[in-house]
Amino acid sequence: MRTVVLTKGVPDFREGQVSFDEEGHLERGKTPTVMNPNDKHALRAAFQTKVRNGGQVSLMSMGPPGYEEVLQEGMRDVYADDLYLLSDREMGAADTWATAMTVASGLQKLDEEPDLVFAGFKTADGETGHTGPQTCWCLDWPIITHVLSLDIDEDERTVRAKRLVDGDISEIETVEAPMPCFIVADPEFEPTYRRASHRLKHKDLRDETQARAADYEDHLTVWDHTDLNLDPDYIGLDGSPTIVAGVDPIPKAPSEREATVIDAGADEGMEQVLDELAPYAAGD
Amino acid sequence: MTDSYEEYEAVVVGCGPGGAAAAANLARNGVETLVLERGVDAGSKNVSGGLIYAEESAPYTIDGLFPDFREEATERPVTENYIHNVAGEKVKTFDIGDLHHHDTAWADSVLRRKMDSWLAQQVHERTRETGGGLLTEVHVTGLLRERGEIVGVTTEELDPIKADLIVAADGVNSELARDAGLMDWEEPEEWFQGVKAVVDVDPAAINERFDVDADDGAAHLFSGDLFDGVRGGGFLYTNESSLSIGTVFHLDSLAEEEAEPHELLDSLLTHPLMAQWLGDEYDEREYSAKLVPDSKKAAHPSPHEDRLVLVGDAAGQMQAQGPIIKGMNHAVTAGALAAEAFADARSRSEPHRAGELYEKKLHDEGVMDKLRPTRYEVFGRLGELGPVDDLSNSVAESAVGRFGVRAASGLLERAYSSPTLVSMIPDTKLPYVTLPTVIAEELGERVEDENTVSPPDLADRIGDLTYDVGDPHIELLDKSFEASGTAVTACPVSAKDFGGGCYRDERVQTNGTEEHLVSLDTQPCVECGTCAVVADTEWEHPAGGKGVEFKQG
C-alpha cells in the first residue's frame, strides 16, 4: 500500500501561540506555523492503513521552504515515512485551484502511483475545503469525504468507508470505492486497533519514524515547477482565478447584558453578592 | 468468530516484577509472549513499601533475570536494619541486621514507577524478539473459555486473545484469579493494608541523618502503642532522594477499630522519633495505598487452573511475618518458575501440564514453605486462639512479664533476629502491640526531639495524585451502612466527616424513618481493593490507562 497525505502549514491558532495586532489582524511573523490540525486526522487514517495493511505513508505539501518543519512535525507526531515539498517562487500566492493543479502534478510525479491519497477536512486558515476535492478532480479518481473509519480489501483493490452524510453525525452511511481513491478524513475519525499485533506494530513504527524525524532532511524531496513540468502561467498567483474582492473583520458580538461590578475585597462585597443572588436561589 | 481470535503461545497479564520475570524467562525459552499492562506505563498502578530482596536460596532473582537491574532500577542498597519499640515517647531500638541478612544476597529500596517502567522496557525488547511484545493501557477483564475450559483472556481494548499459557500477574486484586475462582475477597483476616508517603529529602541530608554513604541505605521498622491498638506497624526506607514512610495493618484489626489509615500514617510521621530523619521541611511527593495478601493464610497452595497460572500478589504470594516483609522477590521467583514449567511442559509436548509442574516447582524450590511456613501453622495459629492470646497478653503486661522483659533484653533482640522464631509469630496484638509497648516502657528511653512535621490533609493528598477518570469501576451492591459502612473509615482515601473521598456516610430521611447509608464516588479511588473486602461491592479495575496514576509508587 502506498498512501500520500496532503497537508498545509497554518498559523498556530492556539491560545498563547497566536498573535494579533491592535486592529485584529494576524501577525504572521510572531505566530508560529504548524501542521494544519485537521490534517493530523488524515495522517492517522493513513497510518492505520500502514499498520493494518503495510506499505508506506508519504506526506506532501506545497509552500515556502519553512514548511520543512511542518513536514518534520508530521513525521515526528504522526509517523510519516517520507516527505515531499513542492516549493518555489512561481507557486506562491496560489488559490485553491492553482494549489490543486500543483499538488496533483506532484502526486503524478511520484515513482509509484499511490493507492490512496488522504486530505484533512478544511485548513484552519482558509477554511474553504476546496483543495482536496479539486486535487482529486485533477486526478480523476473517486472521492470519499467525511470519513469516520475505513477498511481495505487489498485483493479486491477496494476501500470501504463509513462516512457522515452531509457532515452530520446523525446520519452515517457505508460506501465502497475502487482504488486508487481519494479520502477526506473527518475530524471525528478515530483509528481503532483491536488486535494486539496491530498495536505492537504501531509501537514499532512509531519508534522507527520518531528516530527518523531527527534526520528528516534525509527523507525530504523538494520539487520546483520545472521538476513538475508546470507552466508558471497556470500556477501560483498567475494561475489563480479567484479574486478576493475585500476582507471584512468579523464584528465583535455586542454585549447586551448589564453588569454590576462588586468589590469582593470590600467588607460589604460578599454580602452584596449574596443579596444579588438570593432572588435566583429562591427561584424568582 | 473463534477462528479469527489472535493467538500467542503465552499471554502475561501485568508487568510488575512477577509478570516481568515470567515474560523474561518465557522469552529466554523462545516462547512467543504477549504482555498486557493496564497502566499508562508499567509501575503507574503499583505500590510497594518497598524493599526488594534477592534471596540466596531462591532459584531466580531479579538481577539474575535482568543483569542491570540494581544499577538502573533501584534506589539504595539497604545495609542497616532496626526495629523501634514505641510506648508514648519512650523508644527501645533493636538492631535486626542479622534477621535481615539471613539468606539475603542483597536488598535494595525501590520506587515502583521507576523500577517497573525500566523492567517493562527490557521485557518489551526481549518479548518482541520472539514475536510478542508489551502493550500498555490494556485492561484484561477476564478469562476466555471454550467448552468450559480456560483458553485465553478477554480485554476492554482488544478482541479476545487465545494462548497456551496465561500468566495472571495482575496484582493483589487479580480479576483473572477471581474469574477462575482461585482467589476471593471474603476474609479481612487474610489481608493487610499498607499506606505510604514518599517524602522528598535531599540526598546529602539522607546520608547525614541516617549516617550512611551515598550508596548505602537504612530500613527502620516501628511497632508499639503509636497506632491506637491497631495490629501492625510502620516502616521507613531510604531512597536516593526521598524517604518511603508507611504503615501496614491487619485489615480485620483496622476494620474492627474503625481506624483511619491516613491518621495512623500521620501518627508515625509526627512521632518525636521521626524528627531526626524528617528535619524541619516536610515535602510529601505522593500518598499511596495498597492491599497486601497475608501469604500465611492467602497464598494459594495450587495456584493454577487449565492454562492459567497465578503469580505474585495475584496468588497471595506476599510474605509478611512480623518484621519480615517480602513480596516482590517471591513474585519474581514464582513468575520465572511458571515460565520454566511451561518451557518444560512444552518440550515434552504437554503444554497443558504447565500449571501442575509450576505447583510442583513452587513446593520443590521451597517457595511455598516460605509463604506458608509449617512452623506458623503449628505454633502461630495456636497463639491466635482466644484463651491463649488473652493469657499471653496478660502475662506480658503483668509484673512477671515485665520483669522477664527487663531481664531478657539481650535475648529479645536476638529473638527478633531469629528467622525461626519470627516465622512463628501469631497474628495477634501480643507481638505487634503489647510486647513492643512493654519493651519500650521497661527498656526504652524518652525521645527528646521535637517533631514539627505537619503532614498534608487527606483532601490535599488526593488532590496531588494524578487521575484520568474513566467510568466508575466499582459498584456498591449493598448501600446500607451495616453492610458497607466499614469502607468509610478503612478506605485510605475516605474518612468520617470528609466529603471528598470515595465512601461517605449518609443519613437519608424517607417517609418519616431514617436510613443509614453509604454512598460511593470512585473518582479519588487508588484501586487498593480494601472496599472489595470490607464492603459489599462489584469490584473491577478501571479501563486501560484510566484511574489513578502513581508517579512514585
Side-chain angles (χ1 to χ4, degrees):
Chain A
M1 289 288 294
R2 174 68 188 264
T3 60
V4 181
V5 179
L6 305 180
T7 189
K8 186 186 179 191
V10 297
D12 191 344
F13 286 110
R14 287 173 306 170
E15 201 150 337
Q17 300 291 325
V18 69
S19 172
F20 295 101
D21 68 12
E22 283 169 8
E23 283 162 23
H25 293 130
L26 179 71
E27 296 188 292
R28 282 310 293 251
K30 290 186 183 170
T31 304
T33 300
V34 294
M35 184 175 171
N36 178 42
N38 276 341
D39 298 346
K40 293 199 172 176
H41 299 288
L43 248 181
R44 286 191 196 105
F47 189 65
Q48 179 185 275
T49 65
K50 181 179 163 181
V51 169
R52 290 184 183 178
N53 307 91
Q56 183 183 347
V57 179
S58 305
L59 185 60
M60 183 179 282
S61 188
M62 186 195 89
Y67 272 32
E68 282 188 17
E69 283 165 27
V70 173
L71 293 173
Q72 183 191 16
E73 184 188 339
M75 187 174 256
R76 189 188 58 227
D77 294 353
V78 220
Y79 328 131
D81 290 295
D82 53 5
L83 312 171
Y84 293 86
L85 181 61
L86 317 178
S87 181
D88 71 16
R89 284 188 179 281
E90 302 290 350
M91 295 176 190
D95 68 1
T96 59
W97 176 250
T99 306
M101 291 286 286
T102 311
V103 171
S105 303
L107 290 169
Q108 281 160 340
K109 175 147 175 86
L110 294 168
D111 46 14
E112 181 192 356
E113 185 189 55
D115 300 292
L116 292 169
V117 171
F118 291 85
F121 172 63
K122 297 201 292 198
T123 53
D125 53 356
E127 292 234 337
T128 66
H130 293 173
T131 312
Q134 287 177 152
T135 305
C136 180
W137 184 86
C138 294
L139 297 168
D140 198 18
W141 286 5
I143 184 168
I144 311 176
T145 57
H146 290 295
V147 169
L148 295 176
S149 68
L150 74 167
D151 282 302
I152 287 151
D153 188 331
E154 282 184 280
D155 297 335
E156 296 292 323
R157 292 209 31 89
T158 55
V159 53
R160 178 188 284 253
K162 278 203 171 78
R163 68 179 296 272
L164 296 175
V165 179
D166 297 328
D168 182 356
I169 197 78
S170 64
E171 206 178 332
I172 294 170
E173 63 181 4
T174 304
V175 295
E176 198 175 273
M179 294 195 286
C181 180
F182 200 99
I183 304 283
V184 179
D186 194 85
E188 298 288 324
F189 183 96
E190 271 301 325
T192 50
Y193 299 103
R194 297 281 306 175
R195 291 177 80 80
S197 58
H198 287 161
R199 289 202 182 194
L200 290 166
K201 195 164 169 204
H202 188 286
K203 228 170 139 173
D204 286 349
L205 295 174
R206 181 190 63 195
D207 294 350
E208 219 174 282
T209 51
Q210 283 182 334
R212 202 162 43 209
D215 306 311
Y216 76 97
E217 292 99 333
D218 298 346
H219 309 276
L220 172 72
T221 305
V222 182
W223 284 329
D224 62 16
H225 77 279
T226 57
D227 295 320
L228 298 177
N229 201 21
L230 282 167
D231 183 337
D233 288 346
Y234 289 89
I235 57 169
L237 185 61
D238 292 346
S240 296
T242 312
I243 295 165
V244 180
V247 178
D248 295 321
I250 300 168
K252 282 191 177 167
S255 168
E256 289 173 7
R257 281 167 297 187
E258 279 181 37
T260 314
V261 178
I262 299 167
D263 179 5
D267 285 346
E268 66 280 12
M270 284 320 291
E271 208 170 304
Q272 204 182 335
V273 171
L274 290 174
D275 288 346
E276 293 283 341
L277 289 176
Y280 299 99
D284 296 343
Chain B
M1 274 306 287
T2 312
D3 294 342
S4 70
Y5 287 154
E6 266 188 288
E7 284 200 56
Y8 289 85
E9 276 191 283
V11 170
V12 176
V13 182
C15 197
N25 211 17
L26 284 165
R28 190 159 72 182
N29 284 286
V31 179
E32 180 197 41
T33 306
L34 176 67
V35 186
L36 300 174
E37 158 63 44
R38 68 187 178 90
V40 287
D41 182 9
S44 65
K45 294 292 183 184
N46 306 55
V47 176
S48 286
L51 296 185
I52 185 163
Y53 289 82
E55 289 185 333
E56 282 161 1
S57 61
Y60 289 97
T61 58
I62 191 84
D63 60 326
L65 293 161
F66 300 94
D68 300 330
F69 178 78
R70 297 187 72 194
E71 183 96 338
E72 301 289 338
T74 70
E75 294 290 317
R76 286 176 188 246
V78 167
T79 45
E80 315 222 345
N81 303 76
Y82 301 95
I83 188 163
H84 306 275
N85 299 280
V86 180
E89 293 185 353
K90 286 178 88 175
V91 176
K92 176 66 187 173
T93 300
F94 292 147
D95 183 336
I96 51 167
D98 287 350
L99 176 68
H100 174 81
H101 292 122
H102 170 76
D103 195 26
T104 300
W106 55 265
D108 288 0
S109 58
V110 293
L111 290 169
R112 293 293 299 277
R113 181 63 182 268
K114 173 177 151 188
M115 171 183 134
D116 295 27
S117 174
W118 182 83
L119 284 174
Q121 186 60 40
Q122 309 296 309
V123 164
H124 179 64
E125 283 168 19
R126 296 190 200 179
T127 50
R128 198 79 194 99
E129 281 172 22
T130 62
L134 174 136
L135 292 175
T136 54
E137 299 187 52
V138 177
H139 171 215
V140 174
T141 49
L143 296 160
L144 179 70
R145 290 182 172 86
E146 272 175 11
R147 288 178 292 277
E149 195 186 325
I150 297 164
V151 294
V153 295
T154 56
T155 83
E156 253 183 280
E157 291 78 14
L158 302 172
D159 295 334
I161 299 164
K162 291 178 74 173
D164 294 330
L165 175 74
I166 301 140
V167 180
D170 50 343
V172 67
N173 300 309
S174 170
E175 280 163 288
L176 295 186
R178 281 162 186 82
D179 189 338
L182 294 171
M183 299 291 280
D184 60 37
W185 278 301
E186 301 298 323
E187 305 296 330
E189 293 80 10
E190 294 180 357
W191 306 93
F192 299 93
Q193 184 204 68
V195 170
K196 183 174 81 161
V198 177
V199 184
D200 199 78
V201 182
D202 181 66
I206 294 177
N207 301 344
E208 194 197 314
R209 291 175 197 168
F210 291 87
D211 192 21
V212 291
D213 294 335
D215 41 14
D216 283 326
H220 292 258
L221 301 176
F222 308 89
S223 60
D225 72 352
L226 72 179
F227 303 118
D228 303 334
V230 185
R231 264 185 290 122
F235 61 85
L236 179 160
Y237 305 137
T238 53
N239 301 316
E240 226 164 87
S241 62
S242 62
L243 303 176
S244 290
I245 304 175
T247 45
V248 181
F249 297 104
H250 286 268
L251 189 56
D252 55 335
S253 176
L254 204 58
E256 258 163 46
E257 307 285 342
E258 293 179 27
E260 299 280 4
H262 67 284
E263 288 176 2
L264 298 179
L265 173 65
D266 290 348
S267 304
L268 176 61
L269 289 168
T270 56
H271 192 274
L273 180 62
M274 305 299 277
Q276 56 181 312
W277 300 310
L278 289 174
D280 293 330
E281 278 173 46
Y282 182 84
D283 180 8
E284 194 171 298
R285 281 192 202 165
E286 187 172 87
Y287 173 75
S288 56
K290 180 190 187 316
L291 212 57
V292 182
D294 181 350
S295 70
K296 298 191 296 294
K297 295 160 187 161
H300 201 291
S302 178
H304 61 95
E305 178 82 36
D306 299 334
R307 304 180 188 184
L308 174 75
V309 296
L310 312 183
V311 154
D313 273 5
Q317 295 165 343
M318 162 76 214
Q319 180 191 2
Q321 280 138 6
I324 297 182
I325 309 164
K326 288 178 176 176
M328 291 180 277
N329 62 311
H330 294 312
V332 167
T333 305
L337 287 176
E340 187 189 287
F342 179 72
D344 287 1
R346 191 180 63 152
S347 69
R348 294 186 219 157
S349 305
E350 297 176 314
H352 58 280
R353 293 194 53 201
E356 201 182 304
L357 266 175
Y358 166 56
E359 179 183 336
K360 188 170 180 316
K361 284 174 192 287
L362 282 177
H363 285 96
D364 293 351
E365 297 289 352
V367 179
M368 253 321 158
D369 195 53
K370 289 173 189 165
L371 297 170
R372 302 188 76 125
T374 323
R375 282 186 295 274
Y376 166 77
E377 297 287 344
V378 178
F379 298 104
R381 294 265 193 194
L382 181 69
E384 282 163 30
L385 295 173
V388 180
D389 183 28
D390 290 348
L391 182 66
S392 314
N393 268 303
S394 347
V395 171
E397 282 187 326
S398 70
V400 179
R402 283 170 188 270
F403 174 76
V405 164
R406 279 196 303 275
S409 118
L411 198 64
L412 276 169
E413 183 157 8
R414 267 168 43 214
Y416 265 93
S417 292
S418 157
T420 314
L421 285 177
V422 160
S423 71
M424 299 195 294
I425 291 177
D427 286 341
T428 60
K429 271 196 178 175
L430 178 71
Y432 288 97
V433 182
T434 317
L435 190 57
T437 307
V438 171
I439 290 171
E441 279 169 356
E442 296 302 322
L443 306 170
E445 281 175 32
R446 195 164 298 281
V447 181
E448 304 292 348
D449 295 343
E450 193 194 345
N451 187 331
T452 58
V453 165
S454 84
D457 61 24
L458 195 51
D460 287 339
R461 282 173 164 158
I462 294 170
D464 287 343
L465 286 168
T466 304
Y467 296 94
D468 181 352
V469 181
D471 297 330
H473 58 283
I474 306 168
E475 198 193 331
L476 193 54
L477 297 177
D478 188 339
K479 292 184 168 59
S480 73
F481 191 84
E482 202 180 6
S484 301
T486 310
V488 177
T489 49
C491 165
V493 289
S494 302
K496 266 186 185 160
D497 305 320
F498 173 56
C502 280
Y503 285 90
R504 289 161 224 187
D505 193 339
E506 284 186 341
R507 286 179 193 275
V508 178
Q509 313 285 341
T510 38
N511 300 331
T513 59
E514 189 185 68
E515 274 191 287
H516 195 182
L517 299 177
V518 179
S519 70
L520 168 64
D521 168 10
T522 57
Q523 280 202 25
C525 177
V526 289
E527 300 161 35
C528 67
T530 299
C531 60
V533 184
V534 304
D536 189 2
T537 64
E538 179 76 41
W539 204 101
E540 286 166 8
H541 287 115
K546 298 293 179 185
V548 70
E549 180 192 339
F550 291 116
K551 301 280 172 68
Q552 308 291 324

